[in-house]
């Protein structure tokens, strides 16, 4: 009994790296963002690609990792009988471990539709009708072929080799046939070629019994016995797994954006996990086989820890300043007071009513929601963007504000330069909105994952910067998507697209002052992005206007110190630098001196309400006729009130868990308090407050991250149409603007009633 327990414990420790890595995609796919990844993968590759290639690939890599780990069996505390059986039946053991790890990793595939798990498992689960084909593949090529080889390996002749090669050919023909049949009529030759190439790669690493003519009992030594009876740490067939893993990580590091765009985030995750499973298994098996494995293990852990600590103390950080310094600040001019700027912005004859938009944070969901809202305000039948004085963006909201504003200004600039080309474009804001929302519907996690799973770990252990960081890769992916991939745009792309995206690229690479350009004689909204200063916890404000210093108390106005070298794109990213996703960004002034490090603005002003309060006070202190209307873009479907706490009767909460829950809930409470202060402030000025937000019951849960599925995007569009009905005028074009503002005043003033809440 004791020997059996000891054997089980040793086996669990031996294969721990495989199961630990398998648990990572399992937890990732169980989140709301995981549901977005599962839905979004079909945009990049067909589900059959995942079912017939990606899942078999992941299994084969887990299988190869298990084979490598079995090399350490003689050095572990197995009994002689158990150790001999593990080495003799290494294919069977590796198949079992690989299959169990694959099931652990991909179990959320069949449960991510939470409302109807059984129906999704049978009919609408992610792989859907391909479940049967995958089952047949596992039975035939994972179980039957190795079993037949196992039965025939000691017989005269070369039957085992015939079965080995026949199974590989059958796999390629089988999967190709299913793929061509499933995608008939829609395939291009590039897709067929890509599938065939991947199928050949997978077939090379399919599990198979080896050792034709070998004795039934393999000797137990410090090394694996190869097919010729010699000793080798890694057999020839496992070198295929190792080589494939090395090539995969190399391609991830060299072409992260191309890999992310061609595979998508889910496939990048699957391919990367499989590659790292093999590489870590190789290192783990080498350490276990070594004579002084405990000493080597301790030295490796200590060395890696010291390197990480040394790099973290003073490692190279991402630069926020991404533009070359120019001779002048391109119009930032002298510092100006908020009231003076408001007077210059306000159109003569208006009643002093001005809209201030709060673009709250929330990842790509916030970016899309903000872009959809700004498009709605800009539509000719609503026409409220001309009455919008300021847009305050935080995190994802900052990205959405930068994206739509740059695209809207760029569209108008392109039309002015070439009116004839843009004759088919009747509604410019709608055109700009479509370009923006399409760009924000992209999969930004794919390139980020490719970078994070390749060079990022090495750079965290060294101060040598030999590649862009994961944060810089994410920013580059945003820029490429928003500018239509100008570096890859094809000759047959519409001229309207190319000309518009060229203008957008110029604006995103330009200074923040470009976002407040005068358009058709009307000043555009002032744009302010909020970030958090790591060293002091103060706000770092990236503004399109150089406000005088007292406007925002206890803040760092970057526009007054570094207007020449920070682009719109990098300023938006500075506001959205959430740790672990993007490293803190170093902000320098125009002389090159470090101002501080910027992280996500949600730490200090999650909704932008704190900055809005100060802006309202600064204007109202010197302006008699000022009636601010707050349009709060709250993108969280679950955020319905300030009471988001758990059941107070629940007493089974660990001390460690309270650290995070207390910080999260207190931040939420502070956010509500600041928004309530803003509500009271604007109501005293005869203004109003309106919150535009999706509804969980109507629009469903929407994942928080940097991947937005087409289904979620459609739900957000429908939600914005529903929310805008309260102020979307249906009157004639001559009175549209006044009517829309009148409706907005009515609905927003209701937010000042007794018991009103800023949600």
């Amino acid at each position: 009994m004791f020997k059996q327990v000891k054997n089980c414990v040793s086996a669990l420790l031996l294969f721990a790296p495989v199961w630990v890595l398998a648990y990572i995609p399992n937890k990732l796919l169980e989140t709301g963002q995981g549901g977005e990844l599962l839905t979004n993968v079909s945009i990049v590759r067909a589900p059959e690609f995942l079912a017939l290639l990606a899942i078999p690939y992941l299994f084969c890599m887990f299988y190869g990792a298990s084979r490598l780990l079995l090399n350490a069996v003689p050095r572990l505390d197995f009994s002689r009988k158990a150790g001999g059986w593990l080495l003799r039946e290494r294919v069977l053991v590796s198949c079992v471990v690989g299959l169990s790890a694959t099931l652990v990793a991909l179990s959320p595939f069949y449960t991510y539709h939470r409302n109807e798990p059984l129906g999704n498992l049978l009919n609408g689960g992610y792989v859907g009708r391909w479940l049967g084909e995958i089952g047949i593949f596992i039975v035939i090529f994972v179980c039957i072929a190795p079993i037949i080889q196992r039965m025939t390996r000691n017989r005269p002749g070369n039957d085992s080799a015939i079965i080995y090669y026949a199974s590989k050919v059958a796999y390629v023909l089988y999967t190709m046939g299913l793929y061509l049949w499933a995608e008939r009529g829609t395939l291009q030759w590039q897709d067929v070629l890509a599938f065939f190439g991947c199928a050949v790669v997978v077939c090379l690493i399919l599990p198979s019994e080896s050792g034709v003519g070998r004795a039934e009992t393999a000797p137990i030594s410090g090394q694996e016995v190869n097919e010729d009876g010699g000793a080798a740490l890694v057999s020839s067939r496992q070198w295929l797994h190792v080589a494939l893993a090395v090539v995969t990580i190399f391609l991830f590091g060299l072409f992260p954006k191309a890999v992310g765009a061609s595979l998508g985030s889910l496939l990048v995750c699957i391919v990367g996990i499989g590659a790292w499973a093999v590489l870590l298994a190789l290192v783990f098996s080498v350490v276990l086989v070594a004579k002084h494995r405990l000493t080597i293990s301790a030295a490796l852990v200590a060395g890696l820890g010291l390197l990480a600590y040394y790099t973290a103390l003073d490692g190279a950080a991402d630069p926020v300043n991404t533009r070359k310094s120019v001779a002048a600040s391109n119009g930032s001019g002298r510092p100006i007071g908020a009231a003076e700027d408001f007077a210059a912005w306000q159109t003569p004859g208006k009643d002093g009513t001005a809209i201030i938009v709060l673009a709250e944070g929330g990842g790509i969901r916030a970016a899309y929601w903000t872009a959809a809202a700004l498009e709605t305000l800009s539509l000719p039948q609503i026409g409220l963007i001309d009455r919008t004085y300021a847009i305050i963006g935080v995190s994802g909201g900052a990205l959405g504000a930068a994206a739509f504003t740059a695209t809207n200004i760029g569209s108008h600039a392109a039309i002015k330069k070439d009116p004839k080309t843009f004759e088919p474009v009747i509604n410019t804001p709608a055109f700009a909105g479509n370009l923006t929302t399409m760009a924000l519907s992209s999969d930004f996690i794919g390139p980020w994952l490719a970078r994070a799973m390749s060079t990022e770990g090495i750079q965290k252990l060294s101060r040598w910067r030999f590649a862009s960081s994961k944060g810089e890769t994410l920013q580059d992916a945003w820029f490429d998507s928003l500018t239509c991939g100008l570096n890859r745009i094809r000759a047959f792309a519409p001229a309207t697209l190319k000309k518009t995206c060229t203008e957008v690229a110029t604006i995103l690479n330009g200074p923040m002052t470009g976002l407040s350009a005068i358009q058709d004689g009307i000043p555009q909204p002032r744009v302010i992005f909020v970030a958090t200063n790591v060293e002091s916890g103060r706000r770092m404000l990236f503004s399109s206007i150089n406000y005088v210093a007292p406007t925002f108390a206890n803040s760092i106005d970057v526009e007054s110190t570094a207007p020449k070298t920070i682009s719109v794109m990098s300023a938006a990213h500075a506001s959205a630098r959430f740790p672990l996703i993007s490293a803190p960004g170093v902000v320098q002034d125009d002389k090159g001196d470090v101002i501080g490090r910027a992280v996500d603005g949600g730490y200090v002003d999650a909704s932008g309400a704190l900055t809005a309060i100060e802006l309202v006070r600064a204007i109202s202190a010197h302006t008699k006729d000022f009636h601010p209307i707050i349009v709060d873009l709250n993108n969280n479907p679950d955020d319905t009130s300030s009471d988001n706490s758990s059941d107070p009767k629940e007493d089974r909460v660990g001390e460690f868990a309270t650290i995070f829950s207390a910080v999260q809930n207190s931040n939420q409470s502070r956010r509500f308090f600041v928004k309530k202060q803003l509500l009271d402030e604007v109501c005293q000025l005869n203004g109003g407050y309106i919150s535009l937000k999706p509804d969980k019951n109507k629009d469903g849960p929407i994942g928080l991250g940097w991947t937005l599925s087409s289904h979620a995007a459609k739900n957000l569009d429908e939600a914005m149409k529903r929310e805008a009905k309260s102020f979307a005028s249906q009157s004639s074009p001559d009175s549209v603007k006044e009517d829309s503002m009148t409706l907005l005043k009515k609905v927003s003033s209701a937010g000042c009633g007794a018991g009103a809440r800023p949600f």
Side-chain angles (χ1 to χ4, degrees):
M1 180 66 180
F2 176 74
K3 288 183 178 180
Q4 293 176 352
V5 173
K6 184 176 66 173
N7 290 333
C8 290
V9 172
S10 299
L12 291 175
L13 293 175
L14 177 63
F15 297 112
V18 175
W19 287 317
V20 169
L21 281 174
Y23 194 63
I24 293 176
N26 179 289
K27 294 304 294 181
L28 174 66
L29 295 175
E30 282 184 347
T31 63
Q33 179 66 92
E36 296 295 299
L37 296 182
L38 290 168
T39 305
N40 222 25
V41 71
S42 60
I43 296 178
V44 181
R45 292 291 177 186
E48 302 79 40
F49 195 97
L50 172 74
L52 299 172
L53 291 182
I55 295 178
Y57 161 87
L58 184 62
F59 165 78
C60 290
M61 296 301 275
F62 281 148
Y63 162 84
S66 304
R67 286 290 301 266
L68 290 169
L69 292 170
L70 282 171
N71 296 331
V73 166
R75 294 287 297 167
L76 298 182
D77 199 16
F78 286 100
S79 65
R80 183 173 181 83
K81 182 178 180 181
W85 182 84
L86 285 173
L87 290 179
R88 186 171 62 252
E89 303 296 342
R90 67 192 69 194
V91 173
L92 175 62
V93 174
S94 298
C95 284
V96 171
V97 174
L99 182 57
S100 63
T102 304
L103 293 176
V104 169
L106 303 179
S107 59
F109 271 46
Y110 314 109
T111 59
Y112 81 102
H113 289 298
R114 303 299 182 186
N115 296 332
E116 198 178 352
L118 181 59
N120 287 313
L121 176 62
L122 298 177
N123 303 310
Y126 185 71
V127 187
R129 64 184 185 276
W130 300 104
L131 284 174
E133 285 77 1
I134 294 175
I136 296 174
F137 164 78
I138 292 175
V139 171
I140 295 178
F141 298 108
V142 176
C143 300
I144 297 180
I147 289 174
I148 295 177
Q149 287 182 275
R150 173 70 176 82
M151 294 171 60
T152 61
R153 70 179 182 181
N154 292 321
R155 295 180 181 178
N158 198 27
D159 293 342
S160 182
I162 294 175
I163 296 173
Y164 170 72
Y165 291 110
S167 64
K168 294 181 179 297
V169 173
Y171 166 75
V172 174
L173 295 177
Y174 177 68
T175 54
M176 281 296 297
L178 287 176
Y179 183 69
L180 293 174
W181 176 80
E183 297 296 311
R184 58 190 182 279
T186 62
L187 283 176
Q188 298 180 355
W189 68 268
Q190 298 95 328
D191 298 324
V192 176
L193 187 61
F195 187 92
F196 178 75
C198 293
V200 170
V201 171
V202 173
C203 87
L204 294 176
I205 57 174
L206 287 177
S208 64
E209 182 62 67
S210 61
V212 178
R214 190 175 63 187
E216 283 294 321
T217 304
I220 301 178
S221 62
Q223 295 174 311
E224 179 183 357
V225 176
N226 65 12
E227 298 173 1
D228 299 324
L233 184 62
V234 183
S235 69
S236 59
R237 287 174 184 168
Q238 268 53 70
W239 276 119
L240 288 173
H241 295 84
V242 175
L244 180 58
V246 171
V247 170
T248 297
I249 299 303
F250 178 78
L251 291 176
F252 277 17
L254 200 59
F255 311 107
K257 290 190 292 183
V259 169
S262 60
L263 294 182
S265 53
L266 183 58
L267 291 180
V268 169
C269 180
I270 289 175
V271 172
I273 288 292
W276 276 111
V278 170
L279 295 178
L280 291 181
L282 176 62
V283 174
F284 195 48
S285 62
V286 170
V287 171
L288 291 178
V289 168
K291 185 176 181 180
H292 304 288
R293 61 178 180 269
L294 293 180
T295 304
I296 294 175
S297 300
L300 283 175
V301 172
L304 292 176
L306 289 174
L307 283 175
Y309 179 72
Y310 173 73
T311 304
L313 284 178
D314 193 24
D318 289 357
V320 172
N321 307 67
T322 55
R323 301 174 61 242
K324 293 182 180 180
S325 183
V326 293
S329 59
N330 198 19
S332 60
R334 64 176 179 82
I336 187 173
E340 181 184 355
D341 180 65
F342 177 77
W345 166 86
Q346 189 176 18
T347 304
K350 298 297 181 181
D351 60 357
T353 301
I355 300 170
I356 296 178
V357 176
L358 302 185
E360 298 196 29
I364 197 65
R365 180 183 68 195
Y368 194 97
W369 187 245
T370 299
L374 294 179
E375 177 193 353
T376 300
L377 294 177
S378 304
L379 293 175
Q381 63 268 31
I382 295 180
L384 294 178
I385 198 67
D386 296 342
R387 307 295 297 274
T388 302
Y389 171 69
I391 302 170
I392 301 174
V394 185
S395 191
L399 174 61
F404 177 79
T405 306
T407 307
N408 193 34
I409 295 174
S411 300
H412 280 83
I415 291 174
K416 281 187 175 181
K417 291 181 179 179
D418 190 359
K420 186 175 181 180
T421 300
F422 286 85
E423 284 181 355
V425 178
I426 301 175
N427 191 330
T428 304
F431 173 71
N434 287 336
L435 288 182
T436 306
T437 51
M438 285 175 59
L440 294 176
S441 298
S442 302
D443 181 4
F444 300 115
I445 290 293
W448 181 90
L449 271 175
R451 177 63 71 197
M453 301 180 80
S454 55
T455 60
E456 188 68 19
I458 300 175
Q459 294 194 136
K460 293 298 184 185
L461 300 176
S462 170
R463 296 185 180 183
W464 176 42
R465 291 293 295 271
F466 57 89
S468 60
S469 69
K470 58 186 179 183
E472 291 170 328
T473 301
L474 181 62
Q475 179 176 320
D476 290 343
W478 292 342
F479 182 84
D480 283 354
S481 184
L482 291 171
T483 57
C484 317
L486 283 177
N487 56 338
R488 301 185 306 273
I489 200 165
R490 298 185 181 276
F492 55 79
T496 54
L497 188 65
K498 290 192 288 186
K499 292 179 181 294
T500 300
C501 290
T502 300
E503 296 292 336
V504 174
T506 302
I507 296 171
L508 292 178
N509 278 328
M512 286 289 293
T513 51
L515 294 183
S516 293
I518 295 178
Q519 186 172 280
D520 297 331
I522 301 175
Q524 293 301 293
R526 282 53 178 134
V527 181
I528 304 173
F529 299 151
V530 183
T532 304
N533 178 240
V534 174
E535 290 80 3
S536 64
R538 298 157 65 191
R539 284 169 297 163
M540 298 186 79
L541 301 179
F542 300 82
S543 175
S544 60
I545 295 294
N546 186 7
Y547 290 106
V548 295
T551 304
F552 304 103
N554 196 33
S555 65
I556 300 174
D557 185 5
V558 180
E559 177 59 27
S560 64
T561 56
K564 303 177 185 177
T565 59
I566 298 178
S567 67
V568 172
M569 191 77 265
S570 55
H573 186 204
S575 178
R577 285 184 176 274
F578 194 81
L580 300 181
I581 302 297
S582 295
V586 174
V587 182
Q588 299 174 325
D589 61 19
D590 291 333
K591 298 179 181 179
D593 298 328
V594 175
I595 300 174
R597 288 169 174 79
V599 292
D600 195 283
Y603 282 105
V604 65
D605 190 11
S607 64
L610 178 60
T611 304
I613 288 176
E614 293 183 300
L615 188 62
V616 167
R617 289 175 178 173
I619 296 174
S620 61
H622 301 90
T623 305
K624 293 182 179 180
D625 194 13
F626 176 53
H627 312 292
I629 295 178
I630 302 299
V631 177
D632 181 13
L633 306 182
N634 184 354
N635 60 87
N636 188 355
D638 300 320
D639 193 6
T640 54
S641 71
S642 62
D643 186 14
N644 292 321
S645 59
S646 57
D647 186 356
K649 298 180 181 179
E650 178 62 54
D651 58 355
R652 297 182 62 85
V653 179
E655 184 175 355
F656 184 76
T658 60
I659 298 175
F660 301 99
S661 61
V663 171
Q664 179 182 6
N665 292 332
S666 61
N667 187 54
Q668 178 74 0
S669 178
R670 183 170 60 252
R671 171 171 160 263
F672 175 81
F673 175 74
V674 175
K675 290 172 73 172
K676 184 62 169 65
Q677 280 190 314
L678 176 61
L679 172 65
D680 295 339
E681 192 84 25
V682 299
C683 290
Q684 290 179 4
L685 295 171
N686 295 322
Y689 194 109
I690 181 175
S691 181
L692 307 181
K693 65 185 303 298
D695 186 281
K696 183 177 181 179
N697 296 325
K698 297 178 181 178
D699 308 310
I702 302 173
L704 181 65
W706 291 113
T707 294
L708 192 71
S709 67
S710 57
H711 178 72
K714 181 180 179 181
N715 287 346
L716 288 175
D717 286 333
E718 294 299 324
M720 181 55 63
K721 292 178 182 179
R722 183 182 66 246
E723 292 292 292
K725 283 183 178 180
S726 59
F727 58 84
S729 173
Q730 302 297 325
S731 303
S732 62
D734 294 336
S735 59
V736 156
K737 293 185 179 180
E738 291 298 326
D739 287 342
S740 295
M741 178 55 78
T742 300
L743 291 173
L744 182 63
K745 287 179 181 179
K746 290 180 181 179
V747 69
S748 63
S749 62
C752 295
R757 305 166 69 86
F759 284 95

